[in-house]
Amino acid sequence: MLKVIKARIHQKNRTYPFPQKMPIMDPRYAGRPLIKPAKCRADCKKCVELCPTQAISKNNDKITIDLGHCIFCRDCEVMCPSSVISFSKEFSMGANSLSSLKVTDESYAKLEEMGAELKRLFGRSLKLRQVSAGGCNACEADCNVLTTPTFDMARFGITFVASPRHADGLLVTGPVTQNMKQALVKAYKALPAPAIVIATGACAISGGIFRDNFETNNGIGDLIPVDLYVPGCPPNPWTILDAMLRFMGAHK
């Protein structure tokens, strides 16, 4: 025990001072996409044709990227002959609605915090039951890492609990396989009211790369109500933490 204490003192504080200090993202990180409509050619639809999840649509000269479908593969950025689409280092991408996930230019809708009554109840403490509804374990891993010393989401009052009966809400990952559909609905019904639901990752939002597969449900939206959407494949841990803090009103 003394050796452990000595090693911990030597290591010092490993927790990143977020949100007082913004993290520097890896050069390979693909964050919020930026679209420059003025540079788009009317006769070009390469980005639409190659998108593996149909996240990109084009109406005349207007390109729209739906972050709820996007897996951030960057193929559109690489193949666009006019450099219309680029991916920034912006990790703050949480949204209150599906419409807010749609990007058409270089601006985006800011995430709004929860309502007054929910904030009174959960604004300083949020207990979540994490449900893996058939995910590949990438989103689950980036959620689990939030409990490590670097991120330490518990310092903000956010913790994962073992039962939905002890939770304020669900954090759901995965496209909802047929075998998990009933389990997810039962977990939601077991939550004490009022409760919140966080759809984390493209699969939970829209089905992701498994969309329209007969074994999946294209996300959770038609099964249980969603209060917060966190896009990505998988979402970066900072994206998840940032979205939860903004939703709680703990980070502006």
Side-chain angles (χ1 to χ4, degrees):
M1 177 61 73
L2 291 176
K3 289 183 178 180
V4 173
I5 295 174
K6 183 178 179 181
R8 202 57 198 91
I9 293 174
H10 177 73
Q11 291 171 357
K12 299 182 179 179
N13 186 7
R14 292 295 183 90
T15 304
Y16 195 86
F18 179 83
Q20 292 80 13
K21 181 180 178 182
M22 293 294 106
I24 298 174
M25 308 307 287
D26 188 275
R28 298 169 294 177
Y29 173 70
R32 175 176 290 278
L34 305 175
I35 301 175
K36 298 179 180 178
K39 300 177 68 175
C40 186
R41 290 177 6 209
D43 61 335
C44 180
K45 289 189 176 182
K46 280 189 176 182
C47 59
V48 177
E49 295 166 354
L50 62 81
C51 182
T53 56
Q54 292 78 54
I56 306 175
S57 60
K58 185 173 182 180
N59 184 9
N60 296 325
D61 293 339
K62 184 179 180 181
I63 293 178
T64 300
I65 300 179
D66 190 336
L67 298 187
H69 293 247
C70 182
I71 60 171
F72 295 79
C73 65
R74 305 185 86 150
D75 283 356
C76 55
E77 179 185 42
V78 173
M79 298 302 294
C80 180
S82 303
S83 300
V84 176
I85 301 172
S86 61
F87 285 82
S88 69
K89 294 293 182 287
E90 178 56 66
F91 60 85
S92 180
M93 292 185 281
N96 303 95
S97 65
L98 290 173
S99 59
S100 297
L101 289 170
K102 295 183 178 180
V103 178
T104 57
D105 50 32
E106 297 184 80
S107 62
Y108 59 93
K110 293 287 187 179
L111 174 63
E112 297 179 3
E113 61 185 55
M114 63 179 71
E117 179 60 16
L118 289 179
K119 188 174 181 180
R120 183 183 70 81
L121 294 170
F122 308 140
R124 299 181 65 182
S125 176
L126 192 60
K127 310 301 180 186
L128 298 171
R129 169 60 175 159
Q130 201 273 320
V131 178
S132 176
C136 70
N137 208 38
C139 291
E140 292 82 355
D142 277 358
C143 290
N144 290 341
V145 79
L146 292 174
T147 64
T148 62
T150 298
F151 301 95
D152 189 20
M153 68 178 184
R155 62 190 157 129
F156 302 108
I158 309 172
T159 56
F160 291 131
V161 294
S163 169
R165 298 189 185 280
H166 302 157
D168 303 316
L170 299 181
L171 187 152
V172 187
T173 57
V176 191
T177 58
Q178 296 302 327
N179 287 338
M180 281 301 299
K181 186 183 295 186
Q182 185 180 22
L184 173 63
V185 173
K186 283 187 174 182
Y188 175 74
K189 290 181 178 180
L191 293 168
I196 66 170
V197 175
I198 305 173
T200 305
C203 285
I205 297 173
S206 67
I209 61 174
F210 305 105
R211 184 173 179 80
D212 295 331
N213 187 289
F214 69 94
E215 285 289 354
T216 66
N217 194 66
N218 289 352
I220 69 176
D222 64 340
L223 295 174
I224 57 178
V226 180
D227 301 281
L228 176 61
Y229 299 89
V230 186
C233 187
N236 187 279
W238 292 121
T239 301
I240 304 170
L241 183 59
D242 175 84
M244 291 193 293
L245 292 181
R246 290 181 187 275
F247 189 59
M248 294 172 65
H251 173 35
K252 303 296 183 181

